[in-house]
Amino acid sequence: LAENINRLGLQEPGLVIYNEVNIKLQDGNHRFLATQLLGWDKFWVESQYKRGKIVNGHAVGTVINELIEGLAK
């Protein structure tokens, strides 16, 4: 997967669902880990607030750290 992402780029964003107290990478766990193996510091996601509003954005910095911690659980 990492080789394909390195060659073709990230073809589909992940999906992050969040509210005031929680953030969860709902879809794209393997793609996220593959981009981490490649040394990427950004992972493109669609984010969905608990009320259903969809926005696009980047999961960077502390958000990535929270995602890594969540995947480790």
Side-chain angles (χ1 to χ4, degrees):
L1 181 58
E3 289 176 14
N4 285 339
I5 290 174
N6 193 39
R7 188 169 39 92
L8 302 172
L10 190 61
Q11 299 294 308
E12 184 178 341
L15 174 64
V16 171
I17 297 176
Y18 67 97
N19 59 30
E20 294 86 359
V21 296
N22 196 14
I23 184 169
K24 178 180 180 184
L25 181 59
Q26 182 70 29
D27 183 38
N29 296 0
H30 294 115
R31 285 172 278 153
F32 175 73
L33 293 173
T35 60
Q36 292 296 292
L37 287 172
L38 293 169
W40 292 18
D41 62 351
K42 295 181 181 178
F43 178 67
W44 184 251
V45 298
E46 286 186 344
S47 57
Q48 183 175 4
Y49 188 67
K50 70 177 184 176
R51 292 187 182 130
K53 181 179 178 186
I54 301 287
V55 294
N56 287 330
H58 283 92
V60 295
T62 57
V63 175
I64 282 182
N65 290 335
E66 290 177 27
L67 292 173
I68 291 171
E69 291 170 10
L71 290 172
K73 292 180 181 179

